[in-house]
Amino acid sequence: MPHGVVTGIIFALTPTVVVGLIFWFVMRAIMRADRTERAAYAKVEAEERARFEREHGVPAPTPASAE
């Protein structure tokens, strides 16, 4: 068990700091995965639009104009 004030402070703050770091790493991984997924989706959608325009000779409809 801790006997000094400084040791007690360290023992009290360590779990909070560790959990905070774990949370930060998890959130960072989620944000990076989302960014990568959005970039991949945009690339696939651009390829599909280009293919549609080649096959049909007209601009591909956008989600806003599809209504």
Side-chain angles (χ1 to χ4, degrees):
M1 291 298 293
H3 296 293
V5 174
V6 175
T7 309
I9 292 171
I10 292 172
F11 272 91
L13 293 179
T14 301
T16 304
V17 171
V18 170
V19 169
L21 286 172
I22 291 171
F23 177 76
W24 181 75
F25 278 116
V26 168
M27 292 305 296
R28 187 177 120 196
I30 290 171
M31 294 298 178
R32 285 184 176 191
D34 181 60
R35 184 179 342 145
T36 304
E37 185 67 25
R38 286 177 188 257
Y41 181 79
K43 180 183 173 191
V44 168
E45 186 159 338
E47 292 171 355
E48 289 296 317
R49 286 184 189 280
R51 184 180 59 81
F52 182 87
E53 290 175 6
R54 273 195 319 271
E55 290 176 0
H56 295 91
V58 297
T62 59
S65 67
E67 296 173 357

